[in-house]
């Protein structure tokens, strides 16, 4: 089938820095801002850019991602000539052909690319939060007759060491690129959004598959292209862009939304999500009870508040019972916070049960952010106190808690572990 | 589960809802928004879904567009699939040039060809404009157990209201021995809910005899009385929450019932489904409560921004209440903007209305609406779709502002007294 451009979304990654939040889901499937998942941003951008064919490369615990994407209809990927396809690893010549890196993931799916007879391939990450019209990048790419166009954004120089950093000449041709340089020579950071000429991409990842060591686009393909005189150009993006590589970043990105201007930006981004996934679509509007207090917070449908919610991001189906306090926290879907419980500076994953009178976390003071995280489905028994900076594992039952106190900085996997 | 050969559903959704006044001038009554994110017809469609019925014909006639948009493919109520489906059945020309549905029975009569496709054993006839939860399966099994030709669902109503309904007198085995349609001095307070299970063959026979020969067009007035002494008619008694929401007052008070599950209307346990794609509700971000917001005993749908105060109110998606604004005891439809320091009391505000700063709406004397005293005397003020109310406006009680009216915003401190109706610019 003839298409001028197709897209591949790299959504496989699990990052250890996200702790128990990514024990059971890839980063791209993490909830954000109450009703979204991070991959909604990539998928909505693709939809808004009119890109018809999308392959999502996923290998780490893909169920929540597969369930969320479903048949793609929520991003209009349904109908003749439009589709979003999950490209999971498959058995090839060898017993296990797990994706070894981004370049390898593309290499293993070259038959998907070939199927479409396309001039260019857009490769993006599924775990960034931004709104971009990729058609503008494509127009730039075609105008420059580039072999590869990379999207860059200016970042504060002191943060540049965490990104791939490029130097460009006045025509925006990339003349130097170093991944995570210890001494940054520029403040143009790669957003890992690439447009490759299809034929060149095929050649390079095929070569890389036989000669590579890291099998990554950023550490092998880009340097190789620069060394060998390929035309690599940089498109400069200005606008909201965030990611969530660490808990601190995930936290900050979440709280960006408690700001009216950012809500307006979010509305203008035209971000769609799958409202049918699990019970989300069937939740009634939020109910805010008599005698409750809700301030500076995000309240999606299905939330019921009888207590106090301050500076917090709630997800659908969360219940905050009478006398309970939730402050400076992020709460995922269908978590229940019992009477008189108090939750400070904490991330509560999905379906967590906080029983009566439990105290979780510490109030934040100044720059110190003692984030406590409680994993999916865990039940915290009545009267337990969990201090700041703790990590509590998913799926723990009442009987897994032998002590009423979990002290600051603990990583708790259950009794006897 | 009952397939379409067992029981076919025919849903009468043509209701004009004229006593809902301007809320129903641009939409059929079943399409009127309710409880923030729903429409009235969602209650019936969700009942159908939970009763595991498979095929529904929807009879539309009056302003069907927003209803058709809302129903879509039916997938939101699990009515989409190989054997499941929802079909819109608009009036069509037949032997006469214009065959608009002349009544409830006529609407079903004109769609006998549709029903013949399925040749069902029974037909469940529903209307799309009531707020209730019912398991139709129980009623259909009751009908089968009784071996009835027709089963009518009924519930007791206060005797002084019974004249608005068809009422029935039943014997100790629930057989209907008398039926009176909207009479002055009803002999019973057992009111028909307009929910019928018919034996299909008998239904067709009766329709052909009565409607086909133009002897009558209505179930309550014509079909039921004619069947009374010839067939076994039984009453299926229902005693839970059920509201007709046919008037502005009952519509407002049923919305307020959503705030208190002890009224019997429990949104959180009814498993209601709706079409979130309609009006793109599902694409709205979650609601933001500002640093100084106060919200008490209220329903807040998605996409709202609350910087002011909201008490005992029902907010639809995308409502904005700015700093210092106060909303009391009101039902606010989607995408309404209430600017800072305005006070809204006991109002129903339709979609896309904008209320300027420092307005006071719903305060004043208790004068009934002069033009529609029978529609509006309970103190509620209704503001129609798309109206912009200029800054510093005062509007009293029982006022009606028609949809799309343009109010001159050069008038500083405009005052609209209680009981007034504004129809033109």
């Amino acid at each position: 089938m003839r298409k001028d451009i197709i897209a591949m979304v790299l959504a496989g990654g699990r990052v250890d820095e996200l702790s128990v939040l990514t024990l059971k889901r890839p980063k791209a499937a993490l909830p954000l801002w109450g009703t979204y998942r991070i991959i909604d941003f990539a998928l909505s951008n693709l939809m808004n850019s009119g890109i018809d064919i999308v392959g999502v490369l996923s290998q780490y615990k893909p169920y929540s991602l597969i369930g969320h994407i479903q048949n793609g209809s929520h991003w209009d990927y349904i109908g003749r000539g439009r589709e979003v396809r999950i490209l999971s690893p498959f058995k090839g010549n060898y017993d296990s052909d797990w994706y070894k890196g981004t370049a390898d993931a593309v290499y293993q799916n070259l038959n998907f690319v070939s199927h479409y007879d396309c001039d260019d391939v857009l490769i993006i990450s599924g775990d960034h939060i931004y709104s971009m019209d990729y058609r503008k990048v494509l127009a730039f790419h075609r105008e420059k007759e580039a072999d590869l166009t990379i999207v860059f954004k200016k970042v504060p120089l002191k943060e540049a060491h965490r990104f791939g950093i490029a130097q460009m000449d006045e025509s925006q041709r990339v003349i130097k690129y170093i991944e995570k340089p210890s001494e940054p020579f520029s403040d143009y950071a790669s957003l890992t959004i690439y447009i490759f000429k299809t034929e060149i991409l095929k050649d390079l990842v095929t070569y890389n598959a036989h000669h590579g060591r890291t099998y990554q686009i950023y550490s092998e393909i880009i340097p190789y292209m620069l060394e060998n005189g390929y035309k690599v150009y940089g498109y400069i993006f200005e606008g909201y862009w965030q990611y969530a590589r660490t808990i601190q970043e995930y936290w900050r990105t979440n709280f960006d939304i408690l700001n009216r201007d950012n809500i307006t930006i979010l509305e203008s981004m035209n971000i769609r999500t799958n409202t049918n996934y699990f019970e989300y679509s069937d939740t009634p509007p939020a109910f805010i009870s008599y005698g409750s207090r809700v301030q500076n917070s995000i309240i999606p449908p299905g939330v019921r508040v009888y207590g106090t919610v301050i500076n917090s991001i709630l997800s659908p189906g969360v219940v905050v019972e009478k006398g309970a306090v939730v402050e400076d926290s992020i709460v995922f879907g269908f978590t229940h916070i019992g009477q008189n419980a108090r939750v400070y500076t904490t991330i509560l994953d999905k379906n967590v049960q906080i029983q009566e009178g439990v105290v979780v976390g510490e109030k934040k003071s100044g720059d110190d952010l003692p984030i406590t995280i409680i994993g999916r489905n865990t039940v915290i028994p009545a009267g337990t106190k969990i201090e700041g900076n703790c990590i509590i594992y998913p799926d723990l039952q009442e009987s897994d808690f032998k002590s009423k106190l979990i002290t600051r900085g603990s990583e708790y996997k259950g009794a006897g572990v | 589960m009952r397939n379409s050969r067992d029981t076919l559903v025919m849903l009468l959704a043509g209701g004009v809802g004229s006593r809902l006044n301007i809320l129903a001038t641009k939409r059929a009554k079943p399409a009127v928004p309710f409880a923030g994110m729903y429409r009235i017809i969602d209650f019936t469609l969700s009942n159908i879904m939970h009763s595991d019925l498979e095929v529904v014909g929807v009879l539309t006639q009056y302003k069907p567009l927003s209803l058709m948009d809302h129903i879509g493919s039916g997938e939101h109520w699990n009515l989409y699939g190989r054997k499941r489906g929802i079909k819109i059945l608009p009036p069509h020309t037949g032997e006469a040039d214009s065959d608009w549905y002349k009544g409830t029975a006529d609407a079903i009569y004109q769609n006998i060809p549709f029903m013949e496709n399925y040749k069902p054993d029974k037909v469940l006839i529903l209307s799309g404009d009531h707020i209730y939860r019912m398991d139709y399966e129980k009623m259909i099994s009751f009908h089968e157990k009784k071996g009835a030709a027709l089963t009518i669902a009924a519930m007791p109503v206060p005797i002084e209201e019974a004249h608005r309904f068809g009422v029935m007198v039943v014997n100790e085995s629930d057989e209907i021995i008398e039926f009176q349609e909207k009479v002055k001095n009803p002999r019973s307070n057992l009111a028909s809910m307009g929910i019928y299970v018919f034996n299909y063959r008998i239904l067709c026979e009766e329709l052909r005899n009565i409607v086909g020969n133009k002897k009558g067009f209505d179930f309550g007035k014509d079909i039921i009385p004619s069947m009374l002494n010839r067939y076994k008619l039984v009453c299926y008694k229902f005693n839970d929450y059920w509201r007709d929401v046919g008037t502005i007052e009952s519509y407002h008070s049923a919305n307020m019932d959503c705030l208190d599950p002890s009224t019997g209307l429990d949104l959180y346990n009814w498993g209601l489904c709706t079409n979130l794609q309609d009006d793109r509700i599902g694409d709205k971000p979650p609601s933001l409560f500002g640093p100084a917001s106060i919200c008490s005993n209220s329903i807040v749908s998605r996409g709202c921004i609350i910087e002011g105060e909201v008490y005992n109110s029902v907010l639809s998606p995308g409502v904005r209440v700015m700093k210092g604004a106060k909303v009391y005891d009101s039902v606010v439809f989607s995408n309404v903007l209430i600017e800072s320091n305005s006070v809204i009391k006991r109002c129903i505000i339709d979609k896309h209305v904008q209320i300027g700063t420092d307005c006071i709406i719903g305060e004043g004397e208790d004068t009934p609406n002069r033009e529609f005293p029978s529609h509006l005397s309970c103190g509620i003020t209704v503001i129609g779709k798309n109206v912009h109310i200029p800054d510093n406006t005062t509007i009293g009680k029982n006022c009606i502002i028609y949809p799309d009216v343009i109010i001159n915003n050069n008038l500083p401190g405009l005052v609209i007294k209680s009981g007034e109706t504004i129809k033109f610019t």
Side-chain angles (χ1 to χ4, degrees):
Chain A
M1 198 191 307
R2 171 83 195 135
K3 288 284 173 189
D4 68 333
I5 184 167
I6 67 163
M8 299 182 96
V9 182
L10 302 168
R14 151 173 162 70
V15 233
D16 291 330
E17 288 93 330
L18 285 174
S19 177
V20 292
L21 297 180
T22 49
L23 268 184
K24 307 228 161 165
R25 52 167 94 82
K27 192 164 63 157
L30 257 185
L32 184 79
W33 296 340
T35 47
Y36 301 97
R37 286 174 186 255
I38 291 177
I39 198 165
D40 291 339
F41 292 82
L43 293 174
S44 301
N45 287 340
L46 290 164
M47 173 189 80
N48 294 331
S49 303
I51 291 171
D52 291 342
I53 303 294
V54 177
V56 177
L57 287 77
S58 133
Q59 77 180 5
Y60 177 75
K61 305 214 170 166
Y63 303 118
S64 58
L65 205 58
I66 292 170
H68 183 67
I69 294 174
Q70 261 175 356
N71 63 355
S73 61
H74 295 274
W75 301 272
D76 206 24
Y77 282 105
I78 191 163
R80 282 173 68 98
R82 285 199 304 278
E83 66 168 329
V84 57
R85 199 189 287 186
I86 307 270
L87 301 172
S88 54
F90 48 86
K91 266 186 158 180
N93 300 333
Y94 304 100
D95 242 4
S96 166
D97 278 350
W98 294 108
Y99 301 149
K100 293 191 279 282
T102 49
D104 183 52
V106 174
Y107 169 71
Q108 292 204 39
N109 287 290
L110 280 183
N111 58 349
F112 172 74
V113 176
S114 301
H115 184 66
Y116 290 103
D117 181 24
C118 54
D119 302 324
D120 297 283
V121 178
L122 169 69
I123 298 175
I124 62 176
S125 300
D127 48 13
H128 298 159
I129 299 119
Y130 64 107
S131 163
M132 186 182 293
D133 184 352
Y134 303 124
R135 287 275 159 190
K136 287 186 183 160
V137 187
L138 182 62
F140 172 89
H141 175 76
R142 298 254 166 99
E143 184 202 313
K144 298 289 184 185
E145 296 178 338
D147 298 321
L148 163 64
T149 298
I150 306 173
V151 179
F152 295 101
K153 180 181 164 64
K154 257 186 190 299
V155 296
L157 200 58
K158 63 177 189 340
E159 285 179 27
H161 63 94
R162 293 160 42 210
F163 297 90
I165 293 297
Q167 194 180 339
M168 287 171 269
D169 67 14
E170 61 281 2
S171 72
Q172 286 176 246
R173 184 160 177 172
V174 176
I175 48 178
K176 188 176 177 188
Y177 178 92
I178 297 178
E179 187 64 24
K180 301 191 180 77
S182 46
E183 283 173 26
F185 48 91
S186 145
D187 53 0
Y188 282 114
S190 165
L191 302 184
T192 65
I193 296 165
Y194 312 112
I195 295 180
F196 281 95
K197 273 189 183 156
T198 307
E199 291 314 311
I200 287 171
L201 177 71
K202 282 185 187 170
D203 290 349
L204 291 175
V205 295
T206 306
Y207 177 82
N208 181 263
H210 298 103
H211 300 94
R213 286 186 315 274
T214 65
Y215 306 101
Q216 299 290 1
I217 292 172
Y218 56 80
S219 61
E220 290 189 339
I221 304 284
I222 299 171
Y224 179 88
M225 291 179 82
L226 289 174
E227 279 161 30
N228 292 282
Y230 284 91
K231 290 168 81 176
V232 179
Y233 278 84
Y235 176 92
I236 294 160
F237 173 73
E238 293 163 354
Y240 187 87
W241 184 89
Q242 276 300 346
Y243 68 163
R245 197 153 54 191
T246 65
I247 287 288
Q248 303 278 331
E249 280 164 357
Y250 176 66
W251 181 275
R252 251 187 303 157
T253 303
N254 252 296
F255 281 92
D256 273 355
I257 206 63
L258 288 186
N259 170 323
R260 263 206 60 199
D261 296 337
N262 284 346
I263 277 270
T264 311
I265 293 171
L266 174 61
E267 279 178 311
S268 70
M269 285 176 160
N270 192 24
I271 303 303
R272 302 232 183 140
T273 187
N274 179 353
T275 47
N276 283 354
Y277 190 41
F278 285 129
E279 312 87 337
Y280 284 1
S281 64
D282 297 335
T283 52
F287 176 65
I288 313 297
S289 162
Y290 176 76
S292 65
R293 183 175 161 209
V294 181
Q295 274 161 357
N296 206 37
S297 294
I298 287 290
I299 307 289
V303 167
R304 280 176 285 172
V305 181
Y306 304 92
T308 298
V309 178
I310 296 171
N311 301 328
S312 294
I313 317 281
L314 271 46
S315 303
V318 169
V319 179
V320 179
E321 296 284 8
K322 219 171 166 184
V325 176
V326 178
E327 201 171 323
D328 299 309
S329 293
I330 300 167
V331 187
F332 291 2
F334 301 95
T335 280
H336 187 271
I337 296 153
Q339 283 194 16
N340 302 316
R342 279 170 290 155
V343 177
Y344 305 108
T345 328
T346 292
I347 301 174
L348 299 175
D349 205 325
K350 229 177 136 172
N351 286 325
V352 167
Q353 305 289 320
I354 302 289
Q355 296 188 349
E356 267 185 59
V358 167
V359 179
V360 182
E362 288 167 21
K363 282 201 181 196
K364 63 171 189 182
S365 59
D367 285 344
D368 182 35
L369 205 55
I371 301 170
T372 286
I373 304 171
I374 298 185
R376 192 146 103 179
N377 301 331
T378 282
V379 180
I380 307 289
T384 308
K385 182 171 168 40
I386 296 169
E387 295 184 341
N389 266 326
C390 288
I391 294 169
I392 312 293
Y393 269 62
D395 300 318
L396 301 183
Q397 296 306 305
E398 257 187 274
S399 54
D400 290 314
F401 291 87
K402 302 291 184 218
S403 156
K404 289 280 180 206
L405 178 70
I406 293 174
T407 52
R408 197 172 212 272
S410 306
E411 187 171 308
Y412 191 74
K413 297 185 178 179
V417 180
Chain B
M1 201 218 288
R2 288 174 188 271
N3 61 27
S4 52
R5 296 296 294 265
D6 183 296
T7 305
L8 183 68
V9 183
M10 297 294 269
L11 172 53
L12 297 159
V16 178
S18 60
R19 286 174 304 152
L20 280 174
N21 204 284
I22 58 167
L23 298 178
T25 47
K26 302 221 162 172
R27 39 172 107 84
K29 182 175 163 194
V32 171
F34 189 83
M37 62 186 255
Y38 303 101
R39 291 176 187 257
I40 291 173
I41 198 171
D42 288 340
F43 288 81
T44 305
L45 291 174
S46 301
N47 286 340
I48 293 169
M49 180 180 101
H50 294 308
S51 305
D52 280 334
L53 295 159
E54 289 191 333
V55 177
V56 183
V58 181
L59 296 102
T60 60
Q61 163 152 297
Y62 174 77
K63 310 221 163 157
L65 279 182
S66 57
L67 198 60
M68 286 159 75
D69 272 356
H70 184 70
I71 291 172
S73 67
E75 59 174 316
H76 301 280
W77 302 273
N78 203 17
L79 291 167
Y80 183 75
R82 261 171 67 88
K83 292 184 174 171
R84 284 166 286 135
I86 188 161
K87 319 275 156 116
I88 306 272
L89 303 171
H92 45 88
T93 53
E95 287 146 29
D97 243 2
S98 166
D99 276 350
W100 292 105
Y101 299 149
K102 290 187 262 306
T104 49
D106 186 40
I108 303 292
Y109 169 71
Q110 290 200 39
N111 287 289
I112 288 177
F114 168 78
M115 297 192 288
E116 270 298 298
N117 289 336
Y118 299 91
K119 298 190 173 60
D121 186 40
K122 294 167 287 291
V123 179
L124 171 66
I125 296 175
L126 304 169
S127 92
D129 45 11
H130 299 138
I131 305 296
Y132 67 117
R133 178 177 65 162
M134 186 192 270
D135 183 356
Y136 303 129
E137 171 56 35
K138 286 188 185 154
M139 179 174 174
I140 299 166
S141 336
F142 180 81
H143 172 86
E144 286 173 336
K145 204 179 81 196
K146 288 281 179 184
L150 163 62
T151 301
I152 304 175
M155 67 178 292
V157 296
I159 189 75
E160 60 275 13
E161 281 178 35
H163 67 275
R164 291 173 34 214
F165 299 92
V167 297
M168 57 200 83
V169 180
V170 299
N171 66 16
E172 63 287 349
S173 53
D174 294 320
E175 282 170 42
I176 301 170
I177 50 178
E178 209 174 317
F179 190 93
Q180 300 176 302
E181 177 73 6
K182 294 179 185 156
V183 294
K184 259 202 189 124
N185 297 306
R187 290 182 17 102
S188 155
N189 71 334
L190 202 50
S192 163
M193 299 159 70
I195 299 170
Y196 312 117
V197 180
F198 273 99
N199 272 14
Y200 176 64
R201 286 292 150 210
I202 296 170
L203 170 68
C204 290
E205 220 169 88
E206 290 300 302
L207 289 173
R208 287 194 179 106
N209 268 333
I210 296 170
V211 184
N213 291 321
K214 304 205 183 329
K215 289 190 242 163
F217 304 97
D218 200 75
F219 282 110
K221 278 207 287 283
D222 311 305
I223 305 287
I224 298 168
S226 129
M227 287 174 71
L228 200 56
N229 295 316
R230 297 185 291 126
Y231 292 103
K232 186 171 183 184
L233 271 52
V234 301
C235 165
Y236 176 77
K237 284 181 189 151
F238 181 81
N239 223 339
D240 288 328
Y241 191 94
W242 182 85
R243 293 289 184 281
D244 177 46
V245 296
T247 65
I248 285 172
E249 186 174 10
S250 67
Y251 173 79
H252 182 271
S253 95
N255 267 284
M256 294 297 128
D257 287 346
C258 299
L259 300 175
D260 180 4
S262 73
T263 56
L265 174 46
D266 188 352
L267 291 182
Y268 277 84
N269 284 308
W270 280 18
L272 278 174
C273 290
T274 188
N275 178 358
L276 289 175
Q277 268 139 282
D278 184 14
D279 236 356
R280 303 200 43 204
I281 293 174
D283 295 339
K284 288 188 188 293
S287 291
L288 174 67
F289 285 62
S293 74
I294 298 177
C295 184
S296 174
N297 196 36
S298 295
I299 277 177
V300 180
S301 307
R302 68 178 79 205
C304 294
I305 295 182
I306 299 175
E307 310 246 30
E309 303 173 22
V310 178
Y311 303 92
N312 310 317
S313 294
V314 175
L315 307 189
S316 290
V319 172
R320 294 177 184 217
V321 180
M322 307 309 269
K323 227 169 246 170
K326 296 183 171 75
V327 179
Y328 299 92
D329 310 309
S330 295
V331 180
V332 185
F333 289 5
S334 52
N335 299 321
V336 166
L337 169 65
I338 298 164
E339 292 274 22
S340 52
N341 302 319
S342 284
V343 179
I344 314 290
K345 287 186 177 169
R346 243 170 110 72
C347 288
I348 300 171
I349 304 179
D350 208 328
K351 283 183 180 183
H352 300 290
V353 167
Q354 294 191 11
I355 291 171
T357 61
D358 303 289
C359 293
I360 297 174
I361 301 179
E363 253 183 33
E365 289 179 27
D366 285 309
T367 322
N369 188 279
R370 272 199 292 272
E371 189 167 345
F372 305 98
S374 64
H375 292 183
L376 199 50
S377 60
C378 54
I380 294 166
T381 280
V382 189
I383 301 181
K385 212 165 158 175
N386 301 328
V387 171
H388 291 199
I389 307 282
D391 297 351
N392 299 304
T393 303
T394 304
I395 302 177
K397 294 179 181 171
N398 295 319
C399 292
I400 297 174
I401 316 286
Y402 264 59
D404 302 309
V405 163
I406 295 167
I407 298 175
N408 187 343
N409 58 4
N410 296 328
L411 298 170
L414 174 71
V415 177
I416 297 170
K417 284 197 187 125
S418 287
E420 284 195 45
T421 300
I422 310 288
K423 280 189 174 177
F424 307 106
T425 303

